[in-house]
Amino acid sequence: HGTDQKGNTNILRGVFSGSAGASNNLFRVYSIGWVPGASRLKHDVTTSVNFDWAPSVNDTEPDPDNPDPELVKLYPFGSSTYLFERKFVNLNLTSAFQIKTRQGETINGLTLSLRTSRDFSEREALRDRKWEFISGTGRFSPLASGNLSGTLNASWDPNTYGPTSTIQRPAFSLVQFSSSVRYRSGDFRKGWSTDFGTQYQRLTGSARRNLVFGFDWRPSRLFQIDVDT
């Protein structure tokens, strides 16, 4: 196996790529002394756009019926050697709310984020799926100790599928959703925690729904009991 199917011992190809990104951060601090126990509220908004580009390093066959023997292809070494063209744009938006208490503690009250990406390459494997799912996450933690927290996750499919596609659903359909609430007491040495959540998924024709419950108890650093359903 020292050579490929054309008898070449080595294939040398020049590989290059480029990427660029831009981001900005805006925030404002509000005085909320009228709220019992609170002093300041900070609202933070961050947006970012990143572009990633690289050409394909596989030669294009101009006439598949009469292949050119001089063309260098990477397929003799297996599919893992393919380096496809990349034209990728990533979009991210994050909004966070923090509260400063009169005791000087910080509460990371609520964080919301949205992210997606778009593939502008012409690869046949993409078919109708040009956009990645729009994924949204919401996290809340109303206590300064962080003992109580919750998370919401949702994904929407913004793509429009043709009549011959194996996937048939309206644009911006909800495809995934999950929620969870967690409470913990103690620390990693000794304590306990419990969580409860729901899960929904509909990537194909049928939907799946689950309820999730978990509990763990740590009487010491050397012993721990976990229960998950």
Side-chain angles (χ1 to χ4, degrees), residues 33-72:
W34 49 271
V35 178
S39 175
R40 296 287 189 273
L41 170 67
K42 179 184 178 183
H43 181 206
D44 189 292
V45 178
T46 302
T47 58
S48 66
V49 178
N50 297 280
F51 179 70
D52 184 23
W53 172 83
S56 172
V57 300
N58 300 287
D59 287 332
T60 302
E61 184 65 71
D63 187 357
D65 296 328
N66 298 288
D68 185 352
E70 298 302 322
L71 284 179
V72 178

Side-chain angles (χ1 to χ4, degrees), residues 48 79 89 96 146 166 209:
S48 66
S79 59
V89 173
T166 57
R209 298 174 177 84

